[in-house]
């Protein structure tokens, strides 16, 4: 986004809007990875390693099939998707090729998510982190080379960013697959059954479908938010896009705890140690909230400094300053909702977080965004989004404290065991 921002507001908006559409596409990958991490972590906790490895293999095959299907369907619909988002005509030529390249390389995105879930579900967060650092460096190095045509590379503009993303993810996927199939990873795929097990595919999808629906609701609300922002012109959309990128950057510190809590809850439930599962979720929420609050203080105090990373346009900076302060004030609420939601996922409860996301983002957020934008303009949109974030945190906190997720215990593992073919 920083490099693309140098090409102008239209290019910036193209990548930002395309990113929102791609996040809608990626919900299927999110659902598969969630189902995978639940089963792998609970089987590991129950000391059933062979079953966990079988789940991992089936999840990878399921990813390839789904990614190829999405790529074939999405390629011809790229322009239509951008048109639905209500972007200005000058944005379309930048966004269409960007979207198409990412969609054709969707298999790298799908496999990256699930491979990371496999390693984390088995208790190894260091290996996927190391690989992700490497693939991110490849991506970052390729960005300016392919966008601006430096050192003899072709000058591709916005689409160069798409190629850099796919290539970077591809390197990471290749390394993680090598570790798994050579037996060097925490989960080995050297001796597992490599024929499709459609019953296991169904089990993974049944566990992940509600997480996928949760992601659909969350990202769908953001698509509609940006659709409302687009009514006010290209500059507000650019400001919104920049602030959302900064939000993602900050929330990654919280997501780290979410990704840690989910397998910890799953493994402890698999081992029938409910108290440790509960303690993991509580401690993760506190640590995440403290860290993102400290970061949020800097963003709230000097928002123009961070907005200036992406653009020099005075109008965009002015609008972004206001929205970033609204976001920074609700970072703690967002991250606690994320950690507790993933804790519930790790326990096998994927329905409740989905329902709460829908109620808070659509029933509260979207309604307020539309109404307040009519009453007080752009500031009303920022108020609506902030209130939705707070409501989601309060609702999911209440549901977690009720404790219904503890009753499920190892039921998920028992159901999965039934799906194993004879002799496994």
């Amino acid at each position: 986004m920083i490099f693309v921002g140098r090409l102008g507001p239209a290019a910036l908006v193209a990548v930002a809007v395309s990113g929102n559409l791609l996040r809608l596409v990626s919900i299927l990958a999110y659902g598969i990875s969630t189902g995978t991490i639940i089963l792998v972590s609970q089987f590991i906790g129950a000391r059933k390693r062979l079953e966990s490895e079988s789940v991992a293999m089936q999840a990878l095959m399921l990813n390839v099939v789904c990614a190829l299907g999405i790529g074939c369907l999405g390629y011809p619909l790229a322009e239509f998707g951008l048109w639905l988002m209500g972007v200005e005509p000058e944005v379309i030529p930048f966004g269409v090729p960007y979207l198409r390249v990412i969609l054709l390389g969707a298999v790298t995105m799908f496999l990256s998510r699930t491979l990371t879930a496999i390693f984390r579900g088995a208790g190894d967060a260091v290996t996927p982190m190391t690989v992700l650092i490497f693939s991110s460096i490849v991506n970052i190095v390729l960005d300016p080379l392919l966008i601006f045509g430096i050192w003899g590379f072709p000058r591709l503009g916005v689409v160069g960013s798409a190629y850099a993303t796919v290539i970077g993810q591809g390197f990471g996927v290749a390394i993680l697959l090598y570790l798994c199939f050579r037996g060097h990873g925490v989960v080995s795929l050297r001796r597992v059954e490599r024929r499709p097990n459609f019953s296991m595919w169904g089990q993974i999808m049944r566990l992940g479908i509600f997480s996928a629906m949760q992601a659909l609701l969350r990202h769908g609300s953001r698509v509609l938010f940006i659709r409302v922002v687009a009514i006010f012109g290209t500059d507000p959309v650019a400001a919104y896009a920049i602030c959302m990128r900064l939000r993602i950057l900050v929330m990654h510190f919280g997501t780290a705890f979410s990704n840690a809590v989910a397998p910890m809850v799953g493994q402890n439930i698999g081992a029938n140690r409910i108290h440790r599962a509960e303690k993991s979720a509580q401690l993760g929420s506190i640590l995440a909230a403290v860290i993102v609050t400290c970061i949020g203080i800097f963003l709230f105090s000097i928002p123009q400094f961070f907005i200036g990373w992406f653009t020099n346009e005075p109008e965009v900076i002015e609008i972004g300053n206001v929205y970033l302060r609204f976001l920074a004030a609700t970072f703690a609420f967002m991250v606690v909702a994320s950690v507790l939601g993933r804790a519930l996922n790790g326990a096998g409860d994927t329905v409740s977080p989905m329902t709460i996301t829908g109620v808070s983002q659509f029933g509260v957020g979207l309604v307020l965004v539309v109404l307040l934008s009519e009453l007080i303009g752009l500031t009303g949109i920022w108020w609506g989004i902030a209130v939705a974030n707070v409501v989601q945190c309060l609702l999911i906190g209440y549901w977690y404290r009720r404790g219904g997720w503890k009753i499920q215990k190892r039921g998920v593992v028992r159901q999965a065991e039934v799906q194993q073919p004879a002799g496994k």
Side-chain angles (χ1 to χ4, degrees), residues 49-315:
R49 181 165 292 276
L50 181 60
E51 287 85 347
S52 71
E53 293 171 349
S54 178
V55 168
M57 186 71 244
Q58 296 301 319
L60 293 177
M61 289 190 285
L62 177 59
N63 269 287
V64 172
V65 172
C66 292
L68 292 177
I70 285 178
C72 292
L73 287 173
Y75 186 90
L77 297 174
E79 184 173 353
F80 178 69
L82 290 170
W83 176 79
L84 281 179
M85 296 292 288
V87 298
E88 299 292 334
E90 66 266 21
V91 174
I92 300 293
F94 292 104
V96 170
Y98 176 89
L99 262 178
R100 285 177 172 170
V101 170
I102 295 291
L103 287 169
L104 289 177
V107 68
T108 62
M109 174 180 65
F110 274 65
L111 289 176
S112 177
R113 277 183 175 271
T114 296
L115 283 165
T116 299
I118 290 168
F119 276 81
R120 287 174 175 160
D124 180 5
V126 175
T127 299
M129 177 197 70
T130 305
V131 172
L132 181 59
I133 289 173
F134 171 75
S135 63
S136 296
I137 291 173
V138 172
N139 190 343
I140 292 169
V141 170
L142 287 176
D143 268 326
L145 299 181
L146 295 177
I147 292 172
F148 305 117
I150 300 173
W151 295 346
F153 282 83
R155 182 182 175 89
L156 301 177
V158 171
V159 75
S161 173
Y163 281 113
T165 297
V166 172
I167 294 170
Q169 287 179 339
F171 271 106
V173 167
I175 294 170
L176 292 175
L177 285 175
Y178 173 82
L179 293 175
C180 288
F181 282 104
R182 296 293 292 178
H184 300 314
V186 67
V187 171
S188 174
L189 301 178
R190 296 181 68 182
R191 290 180 291 272
V192 298
E193 179 65 57
R194 297 182 185 179
R195 289 181 299 178
N197 180 347
F198 297 111
S199 295
M200 180 58 70
W201 287 18
Q203 177 70 2
I204 293 170
M205 291 302 296
R206 278 192 294 275
L207 285 171
I209 188 63
F210 294 110
S211 291
M213 290 301 296
Q214 179 188 357
L216 175 62
L217 291 169
R218 182 170 60 248
H219 295 314
S221 66
R222 291 172 188 167
V223 168
L224 294 175
F225 291 161
I226 202 170
R227 184 67 179 84
V228 177
V229 175
I231 296 172
F232 295 87
T234 299
D235 286 341
V237 174
Y240 175 88
I242 290 170
C243 291
M244 292 306 291
R245 287 293 168 139
L246 288 168
R247 173 194 177 279
I248 292 170
L249 180 63
V250 174
M251 289 300 292
H252 274 314
F253 291 92
T255 302
F257 291 95
S258 301
N259 290 335
V261 164
M264 290 176 73
V265 169
Q267 288 188 21
N268 280 300
I269 285 180
N272 204 28
R273 303 174 77 173
I274 308 303
H275 175 69
R276 285 175 59 87
E278 187 173 16
K279 190 173 181 180
S280 300
Q282 292 172 349
L283 184 58
S285 299
I286 293 170
L287 291 172
V290 169
I291 289 175
V292 299
T293 298
C294 293
I295 298 172
I297 290 172
F298 285 101
L299 271 71
F300 187 91
S301 301
I302 48 174
Q304 66 278 0
F305 171 75
F306 298 99
I307 302 292
W309 291 356
F310 299 87
T311 182
N312 296 319
E313 299 289 332
E315 296 83 1

